[in-house]
Amino acid sequence: MDRPNANFTLANAELAVMEQLWDADRLTAKQLQERLYPDATKSQHGTVQRLLQRLEEKGLANRDRSLPVHYFEAAISRQAYAGAQLETLTQRLTSGSLAPLLSHLVENGRIDPGELARLRSILDAAKDEEGHA
């Protein structure tokens, strides 16, 4: 899965579709409709089709046309999309520096010990790579 263009922000409905695709790997439009609108009294098929078309146009979803029923899958990972959005947010709010965001999260207890240990490991690995370069 490729990294998305960081300028793509998903509307809430598009994000809901992507969440389903990330969780299930691949789904038909009907399966998406049933997951997104389980209690709908009228068909939401057109809505789901429009959302899928927009996601395809943005390069965030792929359609498999090899079978009579088309399947859809995410063209990017959840992590890649989240990372791109985080980069966009930090660029807008802090000129691209993650330090203020991380400081805030640590100081306000928003990072649990397991996540903090993972971050330490990542930072240590980056430091080691820098020292060997």
Side-chain angles (χ1 to χ4, degrees):
M1 291 187 189
D2 292 330
R3 189 169 169 207
N5 180 330
N7 294 326
F8 283 136
T9 301
L10 295 175
N12 288 341
E14 292 171 330
L15 184 57
V17 170
M18 289 301 295
E19 291 285 344
Q20 294 299 318
L21 293 175
W22 286 322
D23 290 343
D25 291 329
R26 65 184 247 161
L27 296 166
T28 65
K30 182 167 179 47
Q31 289 170 324
L32 277 163
Q33 176 186 330
E34 291 168 353
R35 288 171 176 239
L36 294 170
Y37 305 104
D39 300 321
T41 54
K42 69 173 201 155
S43 175
Q44 298 293 328
H45 185 72
T47 301
V48 171
Q49 288 291 342
R50 282 189 298 281
L51 290 168
L52 287 166
Q53 182 178 356
R54 287 197 322 229
L55 291 169
E56 280 185 280
E57 289 169 357
K58 292 179 178 183
L60 302 176
N62 293 323
R63 180 189 307 238
D64 178 356
R65 299 172 189 267
S66 65
L67 299 170
V69 175
H70 296 178
Y71 281 86
F72 297 85
E73 63 186 11
I76 60 158
S77 69
R78 182 188 318 250
Q79 185 174 351
Y81 180 74
Q85 292 304 298
L86 183 57
E87 287 178 22
T88 298
L89 181 65
T90 57
Q91 190 60 47
R92 284 185 18 221
L93 297 178
T94 61
S95 300
S97 174
L98 285 174
L101 172 65
L102 291 174
S103 297
H104 171 80
L105 294 174
V106 170
E107 290 167 0
N108 289 288
R110 303 295 297 176
I111 298 179
D112 69 45
E115 290 173 323
L116 200 51
R118 183 168 178 250
L119 285 172
R120 278 192 184 106
S121 174
I122 291 168
L123 293 171
D124 289 344
K127 184 178 174 182
D128 289 345
E129 283 182 21
E130 233 178 61
H132 292 102

